[in-house]
Amino acid sequence: MDDIVKQALVKWPNVPHCYGWLGLDARGNWYLRDDRTQAAGSFVEARGSLLEHAKLIDFIQRNYEHDDAGQWFFQNGPQRVYVELEAAPFVWRIAEGDFAVTAHTGAAAEPTACLMDEAGKLYLVADAGLGLVHTQDVGVAAEAIEQGRWQPEDVLAADLPARFGHVMSPAAMHAAQRA
């Protein structure tokens, strides 16, 4: 976490959390979701505006974490901006040749398991958590599987959040707790 963010947390410890305003898609792209977008439906139904500002994306990715309830968030100064997930908390990129795995945040990861859901989506499990293999890297992942590096286990996509302890929609969870 950035030092400036840590300082803001100390200075303003009781800033309310923000829900529904940020989404992470299955390709590792970030989306801002204004009130109108949120009113149009869930993140899967209404993404919002694609973030393209490189420095803002880097800031979000450096300060991307999860809480004890499995909700992923971006620590924006003193405020937690909870993230709506399309597929998983991470999107993995796989390098050709050595099959090195890197998260959408830029952090290196060492896979401990490989999963394939009923739609043929490929996931890797690492110390950081569960991530979906980026669609552009599925061919590279197939090579790793053919070489015996990874052995896919069949799973149901709907079971993954409970199994790996992440919340797909903190906004929906928050709304349900307030009802």
Side-chain angles (χ1 to χ4, degrees), residues 33-50:
R33 306 181 71 241
D34 61 16
D35 284 329
R36 193 170 85 198
T37 302
Q38 291 180 53
S42 71
F43 178 58
V44 175
E45 299 163 336
R47 290 182 192 255
S49 302
L50 176 66

Side-chain angles (χ1 to χ4, degrees), residues 22-96:
L22 186 64
L24 177 68
D25 77 2
R27 294 176 64 92
N29 296 311
W30 296 100
Y31 288 83
L32 284 180
R33 306 181 71 241
D34 61 16
D35 284 329
R36 193 170 85 198
T37 302
Q38 291 180 53
S42 71
F43 178 58
V44 175
E45 299 163 336
R47 290 182 192 255
S49 302
L50 176 66
L51 281 180
E52 298 182 82
H53 191 279
K55 288 186 179 189
L56 176 57
I57 293 167
D58 288 344
F59 181 63
I60 290 170
Q61 293 182 161
R62 284 194 315 272
N63 296 286
Y64 180 59
E65 302 200 12
H66 64 88
D67 65 15
D68 292 340
Q71 300 174 104
W72 285 83
F73 63 89
F74 151 54
Q75 189 70 50
N76 183 27
Q79 184 175 53
R80 283 186 178 180
V81 179
Y82 283 97
V83 177
E84 300 294 294
L85 303 172
E86 180 179 3
F90 293 99
V91 177
W92 305 122
R93 299 306 310 255
I94 304 170
E96 290 187 46

Side-chain angles (χ1 to χ4, degrees), residues 64 66 70 72 85 87-92 101-105 107-115 123-133 160 163-166:
Y64 180 59
H66 64 88
W72 285 83
L85 303 172
F90 293 99
V91 177
W92 305 122
V101 177
T102 306
H104 69 278
T105 62
E110 186 62 41
T112 57
C114 179
L115 312 170
Y123 301 82
L124 296 175
V125 181
D127 286 346
L130 178 72
L132 178 69
V133 172
L160 295 175
R163 180 172 171 183
F164 293 97
H166 61 271

Side-chain angles (χ1 to χ4, degrees), residues 129-149:
L130 178 72
L132 178 69
V133 172
H134 192 286
T135 55
Q136 291 179 328
D137 297 340
V138 170
V140 178
E143 289 177 37
I145 291 167
E146 288 173 4
Q147 291 182 18
R149 290 177 179 248

